């Protein structure tokens, strides 16, 4: 019977190079291949017969050397080969380092909001410095590629790398929430920002920009929901199974009952989502209940009068310098900035005497500056807006936990009740401007008047920022599980809460460590439901602060000088500017061919 010939596989024979063959046949192993040290040919099979045949056929003169001479010759050839390899390795390493530096500088250019052409300017500065400090290294610095197009490509590559990292992290999230907001850029293009806040099983929180969607047409709830679904599918490849909540600015297009973006997302997902109106926006809306337009309109008019004309403004600043005033200038009021009103009022009150003196001989008169009642309202309005600004600052910041923000609001409501009580008694200890500028004998009368304004503020905070009983219990449970009544929590948590409250070890752990460490220390099986509720709560956005901050970065980058910046490049810059992740520079360099700068 004829049997077909079965071809032998070299890999299956497990042949190994014998180190003795180096001295015997002047060959070695280089990158898993047999290399002749004399002619640099490679031999396919590590078999002594093949090596001997090659050596005696191709190098008969060397084959006649005695064993000692072969050892000396082999050592010399190995040394030469090693030197050549080191040269190529050094050049390759140097090129990789140069490319890595190019990536790092491009990242800093994007994060600082600088033009792509800044790379060429930075390179000139580097060459000037290196020419003076270490001229022998100038050649290396000249190879750093920082041309406009190179910086542009580097930024795009870094953005893609950050997106890939985020995609990997999202796959590890137990739960996540979204924060969305929409605004227009310099070219009136509607830009929709979508941020994700996720948490993994180790209670590590990640807040990153998913995408900036440019909307050229209408911005209805249907359009926004479609963009969100497309962005989540295309850029992260995730469904909405683990989505816990969505935080918005409360606009009708976002939160409309019938055709709002969140409502349409709920229809798409097939279940209800927890909806949050940004706490900071609500706090700002509450402050608008204070009806002091008669004060603010005069302050804004005076500020605009002084600052709108260059000569008058310069004269005013010189006047302040001559008077040794506490501050050197007035501040413009911007309605959309959360802290603007309070800061404008504080600066105006600090310079009130100088302003009145400066304007007394001017063509436009402001009799309110001499009106006692108007001044009293000014002092009170200055103090209460300062308290509101303090709350606003407390609520700002990334990775804020929602129950901490709610606790800050609850504390402020208690402060307001204290202010109302004290003002009703004529006490102004928490209103320093009033206490300093209003005579003591008028505190009681004015205290009654201003207590009514505080009462309006309390009612507005209660209307807008009062949690439901269930939400309040849940947040209280996560913040301090040892202070809740087990009967008040849901049935699936009651037994776990009792077990936890009876544990002295966990009670001490809660007192001595952070909430993250406390919940990480809980037994996964014993407190499974409690851990799940904690993960969901930790993942919720309490405000759209991160979106507002990013819009400020967007306006800083897409300005009059860079109005032609494309939406794709703008999105890349936004991702780099807002990301807390570090680009994988080594991976980026490995994917690029190390080009020498022209």
């Amino acid at each position: 019977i004829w049997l077909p010939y079965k071809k032998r596989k070299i890999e299956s024979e497990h042949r190994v190079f014998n180190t003795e063959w180096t001295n015997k046949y002047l060959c070695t192993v280089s990158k898993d291949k047999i290399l002749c040290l004399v002619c640099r040919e490679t031999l396919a099979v590590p078999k002594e017969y093949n090596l001997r045949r090659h050596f005696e056929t191709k190098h008969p003169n060397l084959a006649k050397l005695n064993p000692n001479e072969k050892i000396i010759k082999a050592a010399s050839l190995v040394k030469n080969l090693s030197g050549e390899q080191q040269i190529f390795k050094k050049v390759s390493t140097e090129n990789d380092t140069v490319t890595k530096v190019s990536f790092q500088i491009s990242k800093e250019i994007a994060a600082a909001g600088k033009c792509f052409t800044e790379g060429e300017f930075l390179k000139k500065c580097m060459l000037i410095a290196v020419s003076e400090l270490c001229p022998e290294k100038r050649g290396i610095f000249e190879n750093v590629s920082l041309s406009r197009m190179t910086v542009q490509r580097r930024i795009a590559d870094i953005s893609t790398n950050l997106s890939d990292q985020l995609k990997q992290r999202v796959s590890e999230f137990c739960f996540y929430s979204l924060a969305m907001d929409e605004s227009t850029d310099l070219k009136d293009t509607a830009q929709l920002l979508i941020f994700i806040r996720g948490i993994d099983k180790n209670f590590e929180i990640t807040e990153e920009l998913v995408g900036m969607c440019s909307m050229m047409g209408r911005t209805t709830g249907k359009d926004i929901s479609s963009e969100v679904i497309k962005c989540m599918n295309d850029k992260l490849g995730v469904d909405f199974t683990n989505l816990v909540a969505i935080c918005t600015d409360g606009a009708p297009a976002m939160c409309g009952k019938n055709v709002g973006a969140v409502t349409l997302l709920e229809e798409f997902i097939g279940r209800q989502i927890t909806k949050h109106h940004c706490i900071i926006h609500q706090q700002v809306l509450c402050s608008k209940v204070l009806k002091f337009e008669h004060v603010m309109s005069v302050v804004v008019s005076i500020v605009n009068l002084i600052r709108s004309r260059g000569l008058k403004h310069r004269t005013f600043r010189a006047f302040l310098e001559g008077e040794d005033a506490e501050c050197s200038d007035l501040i413009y009021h911007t309605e959309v900035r959360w802290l603007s009103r309070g800061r404008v009022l504080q600066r105006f009150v600090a310079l009130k005497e100088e302003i009145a003196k400066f304007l007394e001989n001017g063509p436009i008169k402001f009799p309110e500056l001499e009106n006692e009642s108007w001044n009293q309202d000014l002092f009170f309005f200055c103090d209460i807006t300062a308290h509101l600004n303090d709350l606003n600052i407390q609520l700002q910041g990334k990775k804020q936990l929602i129950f901490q923000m709610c606790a800050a609001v609850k504390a402020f409501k208690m402060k307001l009740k204290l202010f109302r009580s004290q003002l009703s008694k004529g006490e102004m200890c928490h209103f320093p401007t009033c206490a300093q500028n209003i005579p003591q004998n008028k505190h009681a009368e004015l205290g009654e008047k201003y207590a009514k304004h505080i009462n309006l503020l309390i009612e507005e905070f209660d209307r807008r920022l009062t949690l439901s009983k269930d939400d309040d219990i849940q947040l209280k449970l996560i913040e301090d599980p040892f202070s809740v009544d087990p009967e008040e929590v849901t049935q699936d948590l009651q037994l776990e809460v009792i077990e936890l409250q009876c544990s002295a070890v966990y009670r001490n752990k809660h007192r001595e460590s952070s909430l993250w460490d406390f919940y990480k220390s809980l037994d996964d099986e014993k407190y499974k439901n409690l851990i799940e509720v904690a993960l969901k709560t930790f993942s919720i956005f309490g405000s759209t602060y991160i979106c507002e901050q990013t819009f400020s970065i967007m306006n800083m980058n897409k300005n009059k000088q860079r109005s032609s910046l494309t939406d794709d490049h703008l999105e890349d810059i936004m991702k780099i500017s807002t990301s807390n992740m570090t680009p994988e520079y080594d991976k980026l360099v490995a994917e690029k061919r190390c080009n020498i700068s022209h």
Side-chain angles (χ1 to χ4, degrees), residues 67-90:
N68 291 333
E69 291 174 333
K70 286 182 180 179
I71 292 172
I72 296 171
K73 185 67 174 177
S76 175
L77 292 171
V78 168
K79 185 177 179 181
N80 291 340
L81 177 65
S82 177
E84 292 172 9
Q85 290 176 338
Q86 286 298 322
I87 291 172
F88 287 111
K89 185 178 180 181
K90 182 180 179 181

Side-chain angles (χ1 to χ4, degrees), residues 168-187:
Q168 175 60 35
R169 289 197 188 187
V170 168
S171 65
E172 300 170 359
F173 287 166
C174 299
F175 300 100
Y176 69 88
S177 296
L178 299 177
M180 306 186 306
D181 203 354
E182 177 264 324
S183 184
T184 54
D185 61 18
L186 188 70
K187 291 289 189 178

Side-chain angles (χ1 to χ4, degrees), residues 38-236:
V38 182
C39 62
R40 304 296 168 84
E41 285 188 17
T42 56
L43 306 177
V45 183
K47 190 174 179 182
E48 186 174 10
Y49 171 76
N50 292 350
L51 271 65
R52 184 172 66 248
R53 184 179 64 180
H54 171 84
F55 184 59
E56 292 177 350
T57 305
K58 297 292 183 71
H59 314 293
N61 295 331
L62 296 175
K64 297 176 182 178
L65 298 175
N66 60 52
N68 291 333
E69 291 174 333
K70 286 182 180 179
I71 292 172
I72 296 171
K73 185 67 174 177
S76 175
L77 292 171
V78 168
K79 185 177 179 181
N80 291 340
L81 177 65
S82 177
E84 292 172 9
Q85 290 176 338
Q86 286 298 322
I87 291 172
F88 287 111
K89 185 178 180 181
K90 182 180 179 181
V91 172
S92 176
T93 303
E94 186 178 289
N95 287 343
D96 286 348
T97 305
V98 164
T99 305
K100 184 176 181 179
V101 168
S102 177
F103 272 110
Q104 290 173 327
I105 293 176
S106 299
K107 188 253 184 185
E108 295 302 321
I109 288 173
K114 301 296 183 182
C115 300
F116 299 153
T117 53
E118 291 289 320
E120 296 171 347
F121 170 73
L122 289 173
K123 184 172 180 179
K124 288 180 181 178
C125 295
M126 287 193 303
L127 291 175
I128 291 171
V130 77
S131 298
E132 296 295 328
L133 299 174
C134 46
E136 69 279 1
K137 299 289 186 180
R138 181 183 172 89
I140 299 175
F141 285 83
E142 286 179 341
N143 290 338
V144 179
S145 184
L146 290 173
S147 65
R148 179 178 64 85
M149 294 304 297
T150 299
V151 171
Q152 178 181 304
R153 288 194 301 270
R154 298 282 191 257
I155 290 173
D157 291 337
I158 291 171
S159 174
T160 302
N161 179 260
L162 293 174
S163 296
D164 292 341
Q165 289 188 59
L166 177 60
K167 193 172 183 179
Q168 175 60 35
R169 289 197 188 187
V170 168
S171 65
E172 300 170 359
F173 287 166
C174 299
F175 300 100
Y176 69 88
S177 296
L178 299 177
M180 306 186 306
D181 203 354
E182 177 264 324
S183 184
T184 54
D185 61 18
L186 188 70
K187 291 289 189 178
D188 292 327
T189 301
Q191 303 289 3
L192 173 67
L193 292 179
I194 305 170
F195 275 88
I196 189 170
R197 175 186 173 117
I199 188 167
D200 61 20
K201 62 182 180 180
N202 295 318
F203 282 83
E204 295 293 332
I205 294 177
T206 300
E207 277 186 12
E208 293 291 333
L209 176 65
V210 178
M212 186 183 75
C213 307
S214 301
M215 305 174 70
M216 301 301 177
R218 296 170 63 85
T219 57
T220 62
K222 183 178 180 180
D223 297 316
I224 293 172
S225 62
S226 299
E227 288 291 341
V228 173
I229 294 168
K230 181 182 176 183
C231 184
M232 295 296 288
N233 289 334
D234 294 349
K235 298 189 176 181
L236 294 183

Side-chain angles (χ1 to χ4, degrees), residues 38 88 153 275 369 423 459 482 503:
V38 182
F88 287 111
R153 288 194 301 270
K275 297 180 280 288
L369 292 175
L423 286 172
E459 291 175 357
F482 297 95
S503 172

